[in-house]
Amino acid sequence: MGKTRTLLVGAALTGSLAAGLAVAPAQAATAGAATVQQAQSPQRHFFGPYHSRFGGGENFGHRSYFKGYWYKDGGRYWFFGDLFDRDRDRDYSYVWFRWHDRSGFHTKVFKTFGHRHFSTYGGFKKSSGFNDFKIRVCEGDNSFDDCGNWGDAF
């Protein structure tokens, strides 16, 4: 019985080693494909956070802020980010985007009571040929209350 058991254990060990060697090249090929895909994805450029100014009696922990990133792909700039209103005082938080392109200066403003995520699907994208992209955050009864300074995203 000892020889049979030794042969069975040896066969099982040999089979598991063979299976492991067969799987290893497939895993290496999958990892290589993922590395190539990551190398081709555009580089993200992070910016922020940009904060609103201090309002009446607020501390830094209650200020609204925006942070995000952009990347260039296919001749367009793609923007992503998040606007947070941390004081829950039922005043809106606003994020302003300002840029310059061939047709002049433009602004776009968004607002939220709590949190708003910006992506190219719900936010915006711009074609190449623009510059001077700036962001500021405000908080209050209207979009001009307690505004922070304009900050460069490029």
Side-chain angles (χ1 to χ4, degrees):
M1 194 65 132
K3 286 184 177 181
T4 306
R5 183 179 292 165
T6 305
L7 285 173
L8 285 174
V9 169
L13 182 60
T14 303
S16 66
L17 285 173
L21 290 175
V23 170
Q27 287 177 340
T30 304
T35 304
V36 169
Q37 185 179 20
Q38 287 176 353
Q40 293 176 349
S41 50
Q43 181 180 0
R44 293 179 179 181
H45 303 274
F46 292 90
F47 53 85
Y50 303 102
H51 292 89
S52 62
R53 273 191 334 174
F54 288 103
E58 289 181 333
N59 63 26
F60 185 79
H62 288 138
R63 291 171 68 188
S64 299
Y65 72 95
F66 179 84
K67 66 180 182 175
Y69 67 91
W70 63 269
Y71 64 83
K72 185 175 181 181
D73 187 32
R76 291 188 170 271
Y77 291 89
W78 304 84
F79 295 91
F80 300 86
D82 292 281
L83 175 63
F84 295 95
D85 182 357
R86 296 190 293 184
D87 62 2
R88 307 281 192 246
D89 61 358
R90 300 306 294 166
D91 283 336
Y92 280 105
S93 290
Y94 302 87
V95 61
W96 287 81
F97 299 100
R98 182 175 73 184
W99 68 93
H100 178 263
D101 63 14
R102 291 180 214 114
S103 60
F105 284 95
H106 309 278
T107 58
K108 195 168 212 172
V109 65
F110 298 96
K111 66 182 179 178
T112 186
F113 269 135
H115 171 245
R116 182 166 180 178
H117 177 73
F118 294 85
S119 69
T120 54
Y121 304 108
F124 66 91
K125 59 189 173 196
K126 294 302 295 173
S127 62
S128 58
F130 80 101
N131 57 28
D132 193 35
F133 187 76
K134 295 186 183 290
I135 297 171
R136 83 171 172 180
V137 177
C138 304
E139 176 185 1
D141 295 328
N142 65 57
S143 59
F144 299 103
D145 286 346
D146 292 330
C147 293
N149 294 329
W150 286 100
D152 292 323
F154 283 123

